[in-house]
Amino acid sequence: MMKPLVLASLFAAASFSAQADDKVVREAIQTLVPNASIDSIAESALPGFYEVSLGGQLIYVTTDGRYLVQGNVYDIANKVDLTEQKRNGARVAALAEVPRDRRIVFEPKEVKHRITVFTDIDCGYCRRLHQEMAEYNARGIAVEYLFYPRAGLGSESFQKAVNVWCAPDRNAAMTRAKAGETLEKRECDNPVSVDFQLGQQIGLTGTPALITEDGTLLPGYMPADALLQRLDGLKQAATQ
C-alpha cells in the first residue's frame, strides 16, 4: 500500500502541474485577446486539450498553449455532443439564478413543459411567437420571458422593454407592445440590463432564443405543434 505521505506528494505535484498548464493556457489566450474574459479553464475529454469558457463560448486549447480549436467535440461511441452538453449545463445553472418574479410568465393551468424565451420587443419573429401564445399554452407549454434588446443597452428597443416591465400589468403590456402599440414611457427598477448581460453570458446571438428545461437552445420561432414535438422528444430522450 502506498504511504500517505507519498500519496499526498503525488496529489500536490498533480495540482501544481494543472495550475502551471492553466497559467500557460490563460496567457496564450490573452496574447490573442488581451482583455479576454475567461470564465473557467478545465480539463477536457479531448486528450491534450483544456476546455475554456470564454464569454459564453467554449473553445479548446492545447495544454502547451500553442493551438486553439473552435468547434464541437463529439463522443462517437456514445453519440453525445460533449460541447453542447456542457453548454446546456451552463445555461441551466445560469437560468436557475433568475427568480420567477424577474420573469414575465404566460402559462396554462396544467403545465407540461416550461421554456425560457429571451425576447426583443421589435423582433419580427418574437412578435409572431407571442401572437401564438394561446396555442403554446393550449398545448401545455409555459413561456417565461426575459429581455434581450438586440440593439443593446440604452437603445429604443431597450426602453420599450423597460416600458413593459414598469407597466402596472406586465403581461398585458407585453401583448400590447408585441402588437406594435407604443406604450407610455416609464422608469422603475427593472432587470432589462441584467437580462441582456445574462443573454450575452450564455452566448445568445439573436432572438427569439428558446431555452428548454434541460438547457437546450432552440434558436428562432417555432410553431406550437413543432415546439411541442421537440420538447416531448427531449423529455423522452432524457429518460432513456
Side-chain angles (χ1 to χ4, degrees):
M1 180 179 295
M2 188 174 293
K3 294 182 179 181
L5 183 59
V6 175
L7 189 61
S9 298
L10 289 175
F11 280 137
S15 176
F16 177 80
S17 176
Q19 290 173 6
D21 288 343
D22 180 299
K23 183 180 179 182
V24 168
V25 170
R26 189 176 298 275
E27 290 176 349
I29 292 172
Q30 290 174 340
T31 62
L32 292 175
V33 187
N35 297 319
S37 176
I38 300 173
D39 302 315
S40 65
I41 299 176
E43 291 187 6
S44 167
L46 196 63
F49 283 80
Y50 271 100
E51 179 185 86
V52 182
S53 177
L54 185 69
Q57 301 297 323
L58 287 179
I59 59 174
Y60 299 90
V61 181
T62 52
T63 54
D64 61 4
R66 183 172 181 181
Y67 297 104
L68 181 152
V69 177
Q70 290 180 289
N72 286 25
V73 176
Y74 290 87
D75 180 341
I76 296 175
N78 294 306
K79 298 180 181 179
V80 175
D81 183 335
L82 298 177
T83 305
E84 194 58 30
Q85 187 179 71
K86 188 67 176 288
R87 291 192 189 110
N88 290 354
R91 294 185 195 110
V92 169
L95 291 175
E97 299 297 318
V98 183
R100 186 177 175 83
D101 62 5
R102 223 186 78 197
R103 304 167 182 247
I104 297 179
V105 181
F106 291 80
E107 66 180 9
K109 291 183 179 179
E110 296 186 11
V111 177
K112 185 176 181 181
H113 301 286
R114 288 188 182 276
I115 59 171
T116 298
V117 177
F118 282 84
T119 192
D120 181 325
I121 300 298
D122 291 325
C123 155
Y125 279 107
C126 296
R127 291 186 173 188
R128 185 171 178 182
L129 184 153
H130 193 78
Q131 289 169 359
E132 296 189 29
M133 189 60 68
E135 284 75 17
Y136 294 124
N137 286 171
R139 288 158 179 78
I141 302 171
V143 175
E144 303 189 355
Y145 278 125
L146 298 178
F147 291 107
Y148 192 76
R150 296 170 300 171
L153 305 180
S155 65
E156 184 177 351
S157 295
F158 179 91
Q159 183 59 53
K160 289 180 180 181
V162 173
N163 296 343
V164 168
W165 183 264
C166 296
D169 185 334
R170 292 169 184 159
N171 289 58
M174 179 71 85
T175 298
R176 289 163 56 203
K178 292 288 190 181
E181 183 177 337
T182 300
L183 302 183
E184 176 185 347
K185 185 175 181 179
R186 297 175 182 272
E187 297 293 342
C188 68
D189 290 335
N190 65 81
V192 181
S193 295
V194 177
D195 288 355
F196 181 73
Q197 291 165 0
L198 175 60
Q200 291 185 313
Q201 174 190 328
I202 61 177
L204 299 189
T205 57
T207 54
L210 288 59
I211 302 178
T212 69
E213 291 173 282
D214 73 345
T216 299
L217 173 63
L218 305 176
Y221 156 81
M222 294 182 70
D225 285 333
L227 179 57
L228 178 61
Q229 183 177 6
R230 186 66 186 278
L231 294 174
D232 283 344
L234 289 171
K235 180 172 283 189
Q236 182 178 0
T239 61
Q240 293 178 346

